[in-house]
C-alpha cells in the first residue's frame, strides 16, 4: 500500500510537469466523480469534495488551451470559473429541462420554475440521458461537441496531456476508448488515468501512460499539495 501511495505521488508530480509543457490539455471526467442530484445540498460532503476537485482542475488549467468531456450531470463543473464553451456533457445535466415526450428539441432553464411543456402540455424533465432514454434531446450538447471535435483535430502532432478522472466502463465510447486512441496515434501525447479500480492502461500506450490508483478525495489531497 505504501508503495502504491509513493507511486501515485510520483505520477501526480509528473502530471504537473506534463501539463506545464503541454500545448493542449484534454480532460475526461467520469462516473466515479458523479454527484447525484437528490443528494446535492450545502452540507453534503461529497459535493464539497467534488467542488474542490473542480476548483483544483481550474487551477491546473490556468493559462492552458484545454477541453473537458464530462459524463457527470450534476452541473457543478460549470460553476468553477471554467469556460463553458470548452466543456461538453454528452449525457446532459440538471441545467436544462426538456419535454418528456420530446415534442420538440427546445430546452428550458431548470431554474425557471416551469414543469409543463408549453408546446404540448406534457411534463418537463431534466435534459439527462439517464432520465429520458430514447427521448433524450441531444441538442443540449451538440454545439459544444462540434467545437470539441474541431479542437481535437488541432491536437495532431502536438504535445497533448490527457487526463482521465474517474472514467470507468460506463459509456466507454465517449471518453475511455477515444482518449486511448488519441494517445495511441499522437506520439507526443502523455496519458494519465486516475481511478480507484480501473486505473490500468493498455499495452499499446503504456510507454507514455500512467495509471493512478486513487479515489476522488485522495487525488484531491495530492493535487492540493502540488498546486
Amino acid at each position: 500500500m505504501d508503495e502504491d501511495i509513493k507511486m501515485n505521488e510520483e505520477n501526480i508530480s509528473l502530471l504537473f510537469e506534463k501539463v506545464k509543457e503541454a500545448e493542449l490539455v484534454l480532460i475526461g471526467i467520469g462516473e466515479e466523480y458523479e454527484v447525484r442530484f437528490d443528494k446535492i445540498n450545502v452540507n453534503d460532503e461529497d459535493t464539497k469534495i467534488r467542488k474542490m476537485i473542480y476548483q483544483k482542475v481550474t487551477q491546473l488549467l490556468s493559462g492552458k488551451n484545454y477541453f473537458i468531456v464530462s459524463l457527470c450531470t450534476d452541473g457543478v463543473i460549470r460553476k468553477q470559473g471554467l469556460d463553458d464553451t470548452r466543456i461538453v456533457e454528452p449525457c446532459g445535466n440538471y441545467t436544462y429541462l426538456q419535454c418528456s415526450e420530446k415534442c420538440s428539441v427546445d430546452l428550458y432553464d431548470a431554474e425557471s420554475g416551469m414543469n409543463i411543456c408549453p408546446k404540448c402540455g406534457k411534463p418537463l424533465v431534466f435534459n439527462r440521458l439517464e432520465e429520458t432514454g430514447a427521448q433524450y434531446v441531444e441538442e443540449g450538447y451538440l454545439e459544444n461537441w462540434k467545437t470539441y471535435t474541431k479542437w481535437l483535430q488541432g491536437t495532431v502532432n502536438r504535445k497533448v496531456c490527457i487526463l482521465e478522472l474517474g472514467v470507468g466502463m460506463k459509456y466507454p465510447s465517449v471518453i475511455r476508448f477515444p482518449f486511448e486512441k488519441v494517445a495511441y496515434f499522437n506520439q507526443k501525447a502523455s496519458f494519465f488515468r486516475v481511478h480507484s479500480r480501473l486505473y490500468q492502461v493498455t499495452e499499446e500506450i503504456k510507454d507514455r501512460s500512467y495509471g493512478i490508483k486513487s479515489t476522488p478525495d485522495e487525488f484531491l489531497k495530492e493535487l492540493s499539495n502540488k498546486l
Side-chain angles (χ1 to χ4, degrees), residues 7 11 14 18 160 162 164 179-184 186-187 189-194 199-212:
M7 186 178 297
N11 285 344
L14 183 59
K18 293 297 184 180
V160 183
I162 304 168
E164 281 187 3
F179 278 31
E180 289 177 348
K181 184 176 180 180
V182 173
Y184 176 74
N186 187 342
Q187 295 297 310
S190 55
F191 182 85
F192 294 83
R193 172 168 282 160
V194 182
Y199 57 89
Q200 300 84 359
V201 296
T202 62
E203 187 72 20
E204 293 80 4
I205 57 174
K206 69 176 185 179
D207 59 323
R208 288 172 286 115
S209 301
Y210 311 88
I212 300 176

Side-chain angles (χ1 to χ4, degrees), residues 102-137:
K102 197 181 179 181
C103 72
S104 74
V105 296
D106 291 349
L107 297 174
Y108 309 94
D109 188 340
E111 297 182 354
S112 66
M114 297 174 60
N115 52 33
I116 298 297
C117 177
K119 294 185 180 296
C120 70
K122 297 292 185 180
L124 290 176
V125 294
F126 287 110
N127 178 229
R128 297 174 62 244
L129 177 60
E130 288 192 355
E131 194 154 341
T132 57
Q135 305 303 321
Y136 178 53
V137 175

Side-chain angles (χ1 to χ4, degrees), residues 29-40 47 50 54 68-79 87-97 110 126-132 136 141 170-171 174-175:
I29 301 175
E31 61 272 20
E32 195 170 38
Y33 283 69
E34 177 73 279
V35 175
R36 295 301 175 188
F37 182 73
D38 58 5
K39 293 182 179 179
I40 292 180
T47 302
R50 206 62 39 82
Y54 289 148
I68 299 172
V69 185
S70 178
L71 296 180
C72 295
T73 60
D74 52 44
V76 177
I77 192 172
R78 292 187 176 275
K79 301 176 182 178
I87 302 171
V88 62
E89 299 162 297
C91 296
N93 54 45
Y94 288 103
T95 304
Y96 299 108
L97 299 169
F126 287 110
N127 178 229
R128 297 174 62 244
L129 177 60
E130 288 192 355
E131 194 154 341
T132 57
Y136 178 53
Y141 78 86
K170 183 178 182 181
Y171 309 124
V174 177
I175 296 179

